[in-house]
Amino acid sequence: MTMEDLGGLATEASDPRYAELDLMSVAQLAQTMNDADATVPGAVQRALPQIVPAIEATSERMARGGRLVYVGAGTPGRIGVVDASECPPTFSTPPELVFAIMAGGPGAIVNPVEGAEDDADAGANAIDEAGIGPLDTVIGIASSGRTPYVVAAIRRARERGALTVGLSCNTATVLSAAAEHGIEVEVGPEVLSGSTRLKSGTAQKLVLNMFSTIVMVRGGKAYGNLMVDLKATNHKLRERATRMVQSIAAVDREAAIGALETAGYDVKIASIMLRRGEDLAAATARITAADGRLRTALEEN
């Protein structure tokens, strides 16, 4: 398929089941959309053989100091922004570790920039400006799999030695061909024809959830299923931190809060202090020596 041939894309097709969408009641519309959305996890599951090796390769590079970068235009770009922006509060990562490049710049997150997705030169230049290198992973996201800005960004990132992933919702796409790892989640035509913020957007969110969460878990950012690297910046998160320390160290609420206050609400350090009976300096040194992995820090002599 050429870059100009959009008519043959499944994401652009009109599904005859929804031909009378405008005649449906609210209840019928809600049921129809819910039924369509229920097919998305299955489509993602069928793509797992493509997703898993891409995440494994990403984890390996990030373990050596690489970054995770999303590139997209329109809805896919915004989904990348959302996923990246959640990493600092969830995993206490610096903003530059996981970030998104949006066609049209930051302003396009809220207000669409006409023609931005068609500017291939801008896509390539954005990769240069970000200083993408061999340890980085760049994930291009495009429902169609042919967005010029995204394809050009992936091609430039690959030229610069980065690991490249192309995430689309069609088959045999230009984006997949440009990337080292092509992920094609076949969701089929949208309920509202061509509105890829629907099933396609949901699929992209699910896949990016996997990327960011799995690489962080593999990087020691979790203890069991607890987000022990969270930033406790509000009441809800301080309460969550308290419950985690209570669980990990098997102590009461008062002891957990006391240790957290001493540790600056660092769940890992507070847990080590209580479990191993160590002071702040010793607990800090222990988690540093364990490369931030709480399980290792707690178990090593």
Side-chain angles (χ1 to χ4, degrees):
M1 180 176 294
T2 67
M3 296 284 279
E4 289 72 31
D5 183 11
L6 296 176
L9 296 175
T11 52
E12 292 292 324
S14 179
D15 191 323
R17 292 178 297 174
Y18 312 130
E20 296 185 347
L21 198 70
D22 61 329
L23 301 178
M24 291 183 184
S25 68
V26 171
Q28 290 171 322
L29 286 164
Q31 186 64 59
T32 295
M33 291 188 67
N34 186 245
D35 289 344
D37 289 341
T39 68
V40 176
V44 173
Q45 183 178 42
R46 290 188 292 275
L48 287 179
Q50 299 172 334
I51 296 168
V52 170
I55 296 177
E56 290 174 337
T58 301
S59 295
E60 190 277 329
R61 294 205 185 198
M62 292 191 75
R64 293 189 285 129
R67 300 172 294 173
L68 176 58
V69 183
Y70 301 137
V71 180
T75 296
R78 295 183 187 99
I79 290 171
V81 169
V82 168
D83 196 79
S85 67
E86 292 293 342
C87 286
T90 306
F91 302 110
S92 290
T93 57
E96 63 272 13
L97 184 66
V98 182
F99 64 94
I101 296 173
M102 179 79 181
I109 296 170
V110 177
N111 298 306
V113 175
E114 297 296 332
E117 71 172 52
D118 294 328
D119 193 340
D121 289 341
N125 290 338
I127 294 299
D128 292 336
E129 291 169 4
I132 297 300
L135 291 180
D136 297 327
T137 298
V138 180
I139 302 179
I141 317 159
S143 301
S144 66
R146 47 75 61 203
T147 304
Y149 182 99
V150 178
V151 173
I154 288 298
R155 285 174 174 160
R156 180 60 59 85
R158 194 166 185 178
E159 289 171 359
R160 294 177 66 103
L163 178 73
T164 52
V165 179
L167 172 57
S168 62
C169 294
N170 286 290
T171 59
T173 68
V174 175
L175 180 59
S176 291
E180 185 176 344
H181 292 271
I183 298 173
E184 298 177 341
V185 184
E186 301 176 59
V187 298
E190 301 286 359
V191 169
L192 184 63
S193 299
S195 183
T196 52
R197 67 189 180 87
L198 301 178
K199 289 191 297 180
S200 296
T202 300
Q204 292 154 11
K205 182 65 169 69
L206 291 176
V207 174
L208 296 193
N209 282 349
M210 289 182 182
F211 264 89
S212 57
T213 304
I214 293 172
V215 297
M216 293 299 166
V217 170
R218 297 290 291 173
K221 295 287 187 178
Y223 178 78
N225 66 340
L226 302 178
M227 56 169 73
V228 289
D229 255 329
L230 90 170
K231 285 186 177 178
T233 55
N234 58 41
H235 176 72
K236 179 188 73 173
L237 296 179
R238 287 190 292 273
E239 285 296 307
R240 185 181 299 165
T242 300
R243 294 194 301 273
M244 284 193 284
V245 172
Q246 284 184 262
S247 174
I248 295 167
V251 297
D252 61 23
R253 177 179 171 83
E254 184 178 355
I257 292 174
L260 281 165
E261 289 177 346
T262 300
Y265 267 81
D266 186 305
V267 171
K268 291 179 175 179
I269 293 175
S271 297
I272 295 169
M273 290 170 61
L274 291 168
R275 276 272 295 267
R276 298 189 63 94
E278 297 178 344
D279 63 15
L280 177 61
T284 302
R286 183 176 292 278
I287 194 65
T288 300
D291 195 27
R293 296 177 182 273
L294 180 57
R295 189 174 298 278
T296 301
L298 290 173
E299 294 176 354
E300 285 188 346
N301 294 324

